[in-house]
Amino acid sequence: MSVILITGAGKGIGRAIAVEFAKRRREDFSPKLLLTSRTLSDLLALKKECEALRVETHVLEAELSKLDEVNRIYESALSRFGRVDCLINNAGVGRFKNILDLTEDDYDFTMNTNLKGTFFLTQKVFAEMQARRSGHIFFITSVAAETPFEQSALYCASKFGQKGMLEVLRLYARKCNVRVTNVMPGAVATPMWGEARATLAERMMMPEDIATAVVDAYFQPTRTSVEEIVLRPIGGDL
Ligand SMILES: NC(=O)c1ccc[n+]([C@@H]2O[C@H](COP(=O)([O-])OP(=O)(O)OC[C@H]3O[C@@H](n4cnc5c(N)ncnc54)[C@H](OP(=O)(O)O)[C@@H]3O)[C@@H](O)[C@H]2O)c1
């Protein structure tokens, strides 16, 4: 049994990762999925899809930017399964504006999900993995974790921040047999792009492309850690 906790599972890349794990079910791999995001209807539709693939699936509507909700996500995993084998830190947000137009509300909106909630959920899950000396934590960061883009000051700050966070985590993780993978995609056609998705989709990757790479990394022998995955559209960044 592998307990897989995915944040932001309702849409886009997180949803595709959940479906990919479910599709890989086989005799010696029976994932238990715990899927969380803010929109219950998304999660219920996804649960149905994963259960149709004969995978045990639980969903939890929760707001990652609030610490009491972060605790609720962790407690839900622990009370149900006693552990998390794989955490996919996927939930993320961005507001894309000229640097001079970004507000304090934009700052809190971005940082509270991408950094604060992600950090404190990871901290809880890692403590348990460290004690058990086993586990795998993925961060879906972005190429914006190491490349600056105009209109993206806060998004880049949060993604560079995630990269710093996970690289420090890896210093601890290497000592206790836990794998930490930084997944850095370029543009992917998901709801995050809003209306722009329709016009740009042809130049973007699909969520399934990221999901395949993530699940392949999970299936590497446990002696091997895929530390970074960089995926870009064939034509490069938009
Ligand atoms: N799309 C891209 O081009 C791209 C490229 C590189 C990296 N990424 C990163 O990949 C990750 C997934 O992006 P995506 O494109 O799949 O985004 P998306 O389509 O907007 O989906 C994001 C998911 O995260 C959930 N979520 C967002 N904020 C949340 C919060 N505070 N609490 C709980 N759930 C929250 C959303 O839930 P609700 O909809 O219910 O609110 C949704 O299910 C993000 O970290 C993003 O930065 C995306």
Side-chain angles (χ1 to χ4, degrees):
M1 160 174 111
S2 291
V3 178
I4 296 163
L5 169 57
I6 307 177
T7 68
K11 296 183 173 77
I13 296 169
R15 187 183 208 288
I17 294 171
V19 171
E20 186 63 28
F21 270 117
K23 284 183 177 165
R24 305 275 187 113
R25 190 193 70 83
R26 50 180 201 233
E27 209 162 283
D28 60 345
F29 177 67
S30 57
K32 312 276 183 206
L33 299 179
L34 180 55
L35 309 175
T36 179
S37 79
R38 294 175 294 197
T39 308
L40 188 58
S41 55
D42 286 346
L43 294 171
L44 291 175
L46 176 58
K47 176 177 161 72
K48 211 169 160 189
E49 196 171 327
C50 295
E51 285 177 344
L53 293 162
R54 293 188 291 141
V55 168
E56 184 179 326
T57 307
H58 303 272
V59 300
L60 181 68
E61 188 184 7
E63 171 57 69
L64 188 69
S65 64
K66 297 191 175 135
L67 287 195
D68 53 340
E69 300 265 294
V70 169
N71 293 340
R72 203 161 62 78
I73 296 170
Y74 180 66
E75 290 308 325
S76 167
L78 215 64
S79 62
R80 203 176 291 275
F81 302 112
R83 67 171 203 265
V84 174
D85 296 297
C86 177
L87 167 64
I88 312 273
N89 282 313
N90 167 75
V93 292
R95 285 184 182 160
F96 303 97
K97 300 179 186 175
N98 184 293
I99 194 165
L100 298 183
D101 295 331
L102 287 161
T103 63
E104 185 179 356
D105 183 62
D106 295 329
Y107 184 97
D108 292 341
F109 174 79
T110 309
M111 300 303 175
N112 287 348
T113 296
N114 297 5
L115 285 179
K116 188 174 168 188
T118 299
F119 176 79
F120 285 104
L121 180 61
T122 301
Q123 189 186 52
K124 284 186 173 298
V125 170
F126 178 67
E128 183 270 317
M129 287 180 172
Q130 187 182 47
R132 207 161 32 85
R133 299 187 60 80
S134 169
H136 196 154
I137 303 179
F138 288 84
F139 291 76
I140 313 301
T141 63
S142 172
V143 291
E146 51 182 34
T147 309
F149 293 94
E150 282 191 20
Q151 309 288 326
S152 304
L154 291 175
Y155 186 70
C156 282
S158 73
K159 293 295 176 177
F160 273 64
Q162 285 186 338
K163 185 166 185 276
M165 175 199 305
L166 75 87
E167 289 187 357
V168 173
L169 173 69
R170 193 182 285 128
L171 301 178
Y172 294 85
R174 282 177 178 151
K175 293 179 184 157
C176 60
N177 222 28
V178 171
R179 302 187 292 184
V180 176
T181 301
N182 178 13
V183 184
M184 292 184 280
V188 186
T190 71
M192 179 179 251
W193 284 83
E195 290 174 4
R197 179 163 53 145
T199 49
L200 295 172
E202 273 184 15
R203 294 164 54 200
M204 294 179 173
M205 297 177 287
M206 296 302 289
E208 296 73 22
D209 309 345
I210 315 308
T212 307
V214 166
V215 179
D216 284 347
Y218 184 73
F219 278 117
Q220 281 290 321
T222 49
R223 63 178 173 264
T224 299
S225 177
V226 178
E227 295 195 339
E228 283 190 358
I229 299 173
V230 183
L231 296 153
R232 280 195 166 83
I234 183 78
D237 290 328
L238 301 191

